[in-house]
Structure formats: structure tokens, C-alpha cells
Amino acid sequence: MFQPVPDPVAGSLALSALVAALPLLTLFALLGGLRWKAWQAGLASLLVALLVAVLAFGMPASQSLLAASEGAGFGLFPIIWIVLTAIWVFRLTELTGYDLLLRRAFGSVSPDHRVQAILIAFCFGALLEALAGFGTPVAVTAVMLIAVGLRPLKAAAVALVANTAPVAFGAIAVPITTLAKITGLDAADLASMAGRQTPVLAAIVPLVLVVMVDGRRGLRQAWLPALVGGLGFALTQYVTSNFLAYEITDILAAFVGALALVLLLRVWQPAQVLQDQAPEEGEPAAAGASAASAGGGGTTLTATEAESVTTAVSGRQALLAFAPYLVVVLLFTAVSFGPLKTFLADHSGWKLDWPGLQVAGSDGTPLAAATFNLNVFSAAGTTLLVAGVVTALVYRVRAAAAARALLDVVVQFRFTILTVVSVLALAYVMNFSGQTVTLGLALASTGGFFAFLSAVVGWIGVAVTGSDTSSNSLFGLLQVTAAEETHLSPYLLAAANTSGGVLGKMISPQNLAIAAAVVGMEGRESLLFRRVLGWSLLLLLLMCLLVLLQSTPVLGWMVVG
């Protein structure tokens, strides 16, 4: 059984960390610098990770390849399973023309793209993050933004940046629950501490979104809805995580944020409405796919009918346009609470020890990550599949046409599948060989300054794995250990891991591939990476400063315990 050590290179933690960083440096250099396609950068970086694991960290080649294979398996299920089914649901609206009605329905609230970005990407995306997580909000909201008229590149970038503040409490607060289990800290207190960090992001992110959509003019003309929606979400997130049930933090925050925004729009609209925008370099010429026939089995809107909804949308039309997403919310709510959740937890699928993979942790026990969870029945992708079936029935799409649409999605996004598989294989090799832990320990060795860097550790974890839950599993105990050595609050640093981690999600190659795929920009992930990298680093710096101040008497009163 292979047991990694943190300083395999000449017994030096610093040198080992520099070598461990090579796969990540390769990945980001190829994506952001040389502008390789994501699947090419992912495969090249995977090769570097394998070489580092074998040659520098002493991991047997067979174990390295087995770790990569489990990562690839996790990339296919549940990640790709979520992506494909989420896109399929939207394709059904395109087949029947209801994507046009969806655009008009949102336009009835506000035709302004800046406001729609807040309402869809931030508020509705937060609700999807609360119920599902694992890339679902990016996949769904990006195509919804295209449906209302945003350009593909902006739609993808906005969806990625919006999927930040809610992530710490995503999937019914699984990242918090996991962090508590890993560290042995109280889950409610961890949630309270995170709830005193992420609301700062929630108040700022909507302002960032309007800048992304329309630059300085957007901030000047649409700062009020951004502030109202952001503060409504932030205050609710704080109150719920600190004084109510932290598991429903994002659900309540999403509803309150959206409600505050809708109430504002009843009495206020931007002086100038932003709608049509010119294509940007490197993005598809069309902002969205046109309506197509459903193979004779659905209700297809003609050009005349599509034109008729440019002025008004009836209640029935609006209900049908929103039907797929209402079904998604209802189904995820049903499987997240009550008896159905209990039933699915008991009959979710199978847990399998990955054949031949034998890696031990620092305490000598086998790593739990070597167990593959094939939770077919409770997986978010399965819920989305059921939502797609229900949508096909509601829209009266023939089974053959619906199945053909799903097959077309698989074929179209084959390179996205390869990207996600290679990136998750990379993450598993780095994790099992000890590369990721070495990076975290190197940062933790900085002493008192680690209060500033603690959020960076979480950021690295999510950038590598694409998951705040995985980052907490990797680095949660490290944060607590560092807190003991530096005499800082373990709740502060543990919460910083999850709060900083959410800002790595937008640059994770896994999520970049998802966003690029759903807006028709496969192979151009590097363009999207450069678009969001600056925002990721800027917001990370803000979180680092917040945590640093919380470790001092300046904001020490905010710390739990």
C-alpha cells in the first residue's frame, strides 16, 4: 500500500511544493498563455502529474494510473452525467420553441440584460446550487442567459462568476457537513463562521455581474438592482446560517434575493434598457440556437407565433416556458428533504472499492476516496434526466425525438467529456500521490501570515478538483492543524478554506469546460479562462484580507468561539 510523504524531494517541503505545482502551472500556462484547447491542456497536465507522482513522489506507476482511472470515472459520473442531462432539458425547450417564450417571460420582469443576469445567474443559480451543486447551476443558467439574449461568451462568464457565494452552502450545505466531519468541529459553528464571510461576496458579486455585462455604464445604470438583490441574499445568508437551519441557507437566500429584486422592479426600471449586443471575438456568431421542429411530436412555434410573443406573454405561455425549470426545482426539493431523501439515501446505488487502488493517508489507514460512490438513483444527473422526461411529456415531444436530442448532446460535447475526464484524472493523481497536500502544507508553514493564505489553500483545492466539498476533504484537517500551530481560531481557518474555495470554482477546468460546452464554445475554454481569471483573483484577495482582519482585533469580534 502506497503512503505519500509531504517532502519527498530532497527532504524539503519547499522544493517538493515547487515540483508538486508543475501540473497546475502547466495547466494554467497552456490554457491562459498558449491558448490550448481545454482537452489538450488537460491531457498534457495529466501526463505531467503522472510523471511527478512516479518520479518525484515515489508513487508506483500502476497506482498512479489506477488513481487517474478513478478520477476519470468520477468525471463521467456524476459530473458529465449532470452536464449532459442539464443541456438535454434545455434542448427540449429549443425543439419546441419555448426557449423564445422563456426570453419573453423574463423580459416581462425586466427586458434589461443586466437585471436578467442578476435574476437568472445569481438568484436562480443559487437556488440550483442549494439543491444540486456539482456544476448544475453553470450548465442550466448559462443556457438560460443565452435564451434571454446574452451573447455566448458573456453568458458563460456571468454564469461562472455568479456561482461563487452560494457554493459554500451548496447541495444542502454538503461542503459544511463534510468539513465538520473531517475536522471534528461543530457543523453549526462552522456554518456560522462561513456565514460571516461569504455574505461579503454575495453583496459584491451582483455588482461584478453588471460590470461584466455592460462595463462602467452597467454599474452606473444598474447598481441599484445589483445592490438590492445582493444585500437581500447576503443578509438572508447570514441570518439563516447563524440563527436558523444552515442546510437551507442558500434556498432562503435565493428566494429573498429574487423577491427583493422583483419588488424593486415593480417601481423602478433602468433609464436605458440593455438588450442586443454585438458578438465578441472568438464566440459563435449566433447568440442561441433557433427553434427547430420536434419531429412532429411537439408544439412547435412558427415564425408568426414567435413574433406574437415579442409584445406579451400570457400566463399559460409563461408557465409552459418555465415548466422545465419549475420541474427541476420541485424534483430537487423532493429528493433533498423528507421521506424521499431518506429512501434514496438507503437505496442510492452502490459503493465500490476501486479495484487495485491501495493508498493510505498520513495515519496509515486506506483513503476513503478510493471508494467509488455509484449513487445512480440519488445523483443530480438522474434527477435532471427525470426532469427531462417530464418536460418531454409536458411539451408532447415524441420519445424518438427526445432520445435523438440526448444522443446529439453526447456527440456534440465529446471533447468536453474528454476535458472533464482528464481534469478529474489529474486531480485524483495529485491527491493520491500527495502533491495537493504538499502544496497546502507549504502554505501552512508561513506561520501567522497563514491567516491571509488560508483562503488560497481552499482556492487551490477547488481549482484542482472543481468541488468545494473535495477541497474541504483535502485541506480541512490541515487548516485546523495550522490553527493550532499559529494559535488562531480553527473555526476561522476551516471556514476560510470553504469560503476561499468558492472563488476557485470559476477557473476550475472542469467548470470552464461545462460553461464553454453549453454555450457552443467547445475548444475555446482558454478564452473563457482569461475572461474570469481576473475576477477570481480579485475576489480571492478580498476574501484573504477579510480573513486576515478577522484574525486580528479589528474584526476578531466576527469569529465564532
Side-chain angles (χ1 to χ4, degrees):
M1 181 173 290
F2 171 71
Q3 185 173 1
V5 295
D7 54 354
V9 181
S12 170
L13 181 62
L15 289 176
S16 300
L18 288 175
V19 174
L22 289 177
L24 293 182
L25 293 175
T26 302
L27 182 63
F28 293 140
L30 294 179
L31 271 179
L34 299 181
R35 305 185 182 185
W36 282 28
K37 293 181 178 180
W39 67 269
Q40 295 171 331
L43 289 175
S45 303
L46 171 60
L47 178 60
V48 174
L50 288 169
L51 291 174
V52 170
V54 175
L55 300 179
F57 280 73
M59 189 177 192
S62 60
Q63 293 296 302
S64 300
L65 292 173
L66 285 170
S69 67
E70 187 187 359
F74 183 76
L76 290 173
F77 185 90
I79 305 301
I80 286 298
W81 183 226
I82 292 172
V83 176
L84 296 180
T85 50
I87 298 171
W88 179 55
V89 171
F90 180 73
R91 283 293 170 83
L92 294 176
T93 70
E94 288 185 318
L95 285 174
T96 53
Y98 280 105
D99 59 320
L100 301 175
L101 282 173
L102 181 67
R103 179 175 182 173
R104 297 311 309 162
F106 271 109
S108 66
V109 178
S110 174
D112 192 282
H113 284 169
R114 298 162 299 194
V115 176
Q116 290 169 343
I118 302 168
L119 190 61
I120 296 172
F122 186 70
C123 296
F124 186 68
L127 181 60
L128 291 177
E129 180 66 36
L131 296 170
F134 292 100
T136 307
V138 172
V140 173
T141 61
V143 291
M144 289 180 72
L145 288 171
I146 285 184
V148 300
L150 258 69
R151 300 301 313 176
L153 181 58
K154 282 188 177 178
V158 164
L160 284 167
V161 174
N163 190 219
T164 48
V167 170
F169 296 94
I172 318 298
V174 165
I176 298 294
T177 305
T178 302
L179 186 60
K181 181 179 179 181
I182 292 294
T183 61
L185 300 176
D186 182 74
D189 286 341
L190 278 172
S192 296
M193 190 64 243
R196 302 177 191 195
Q197 295 171 341
T198 57
V200 175
L201 297 177
I204 294 174
V205 165
L207 294 169
V208 171
L209 299 184
V210 298
V211 172
M212 294 178 69
V213 174
D214 195 31
R216 294 179 182 177
R217 182 182 63 178
L219 188 61
R220 186 172 62 252
Q221 296 181 356
W223 64 269
L224 183 58
L227 197 61
V228 168
L231 287 178
F233 186 100
L235 290 173
T236 307
Q237 192 178 53
Y238 165 73
V239 171
T240 308
S241 61
N242 277 267
F243 306 109
L244 302 175
Y246 71 88
E247 294 89 348
I248 61 171
T249 293
D250 280 347
I251 296 176
L252 290 182
F255 276 116
V256 172
L259 179 61
L261 187 56
V262 170
L263 291 177
L264 171 69
L265 294 173
R266 287 182 175 272
V267 297
W268 178 94
Q269 289 286 345
Q272 294 180 327
V273 174
L274 178 69
Q275 287 185 306
D276 297 328
Q277 297 173 302
E280 298 187 50
E281 182 181 355
E283 72 175 0
S290 59
S293 170
T299 307
T300 304
L301 298 181
T302 64
T304 302
E305 290 171 329
E307 179 68 24
S308 70
V309 300
T310 60
T311 55
V313 177
S314 69
R316 179 179 179 276
Q317 288 175 323
L319 182 61
L320 286 172
F322 281 106
Y325 306 103
L326 293 174
V327 170
V328 167
V329 171
L330 290 174
L331 286 177
F332 274 116
T333 302
V335 301
S336 300
F337 300 100
L340 185 55
K341 176 184 178 181
T342 303
F343 177 81
L344 290 176
D346 295 335
H347 306 83
S348 61
W350 303 270
K351 287 187 176 182
L352 312 170
D353 291 331
W354 200 256
L357 185 57
Q358 296 180 338
V359 180
S362 58
D363 59 355
T365 59
L367 290 179
T371 301
F372 189 81
N373 189 9
L374 194 63
N375 56 330
V376 177
F377 305 114
S378 62
T382 304
T383 304
L384 286 168
L385 179 69
V386 175
V389 172
V390 174
T391 298
L393 293 174
V394 171
Y395 287 167
R396 292 180 290 172
V397 178
R398 289 179 178 173
R404 187 165 56 250
L406 180 57
L407 180 61
D408 289 343
V409 170
V410 175
V411 173
Q412 179 180 351
F413 299 122
R414 58 191 181 278
F415 288 114
T416 300
I417 295 173
L418 182 57
T419 298
V420 173
V421 165
S422 62
V423 168
L424 265 298
L426 161 71
Y428 269 61
V429 171
M430 290 188 66
N431 296 346
F432 277 89
S433 65
Q435 297 173 54
T436 308
V437 172
T438 294
L439 287 171
L441 287 172
L443 291 175
S445 66
T446 57
F449 188 63
F450 184 65
F452 180 86
L453 297 175
S454 58
V456 178
V457 175
W459 181 81
I460 291 174
V462 177
V464 173
T465 65
S467 166
D468 201 36
T469 300
S470 298
S471 178
N472 287 344
S473 298
L474 282 173
F475 294 133
L477 193 56
L478 181 149
Q479 297 276 10
V480 172
T481 302
E484 294 173 353
E485 295 178 356
T486 55
H487 306 290
L488 295 171
S489 166
Y491 286 98
L492 172 63
L493 298 191
N497 193 83
T498 196
S499 299
V502 306
L503 301 170
K505 204 168 180 69
M506 69 180 82
I507 63 165
S508 166
Q510 167 191 316
N511 290 288
L512 287 170
I514 293 172
V518 298
V519 300
M521 294 182 63
E522 304 98 319
R524 283 168 282 188
E525 294 84 359
S526 59
L527 180 63
L528 188 56
F529 173 76
R530 294 194 302 276
R531 180 61 63 94
V532 301
L533 177 60
W535 293 115
S536 178
L537 294 174
L538 181 62
L539 292 172
L540 176 63
L541 176 60
L542 174 66
M543 182 56 63
C544 290
L545 290 172
L546 175 62
V547 175
L548 178 62
L549 290 175
Q550 287 178 334
S551 70
T552 69
V554 177
L555 294 180
W557 51 269
M558 296 179 67
V559 177
V560 173

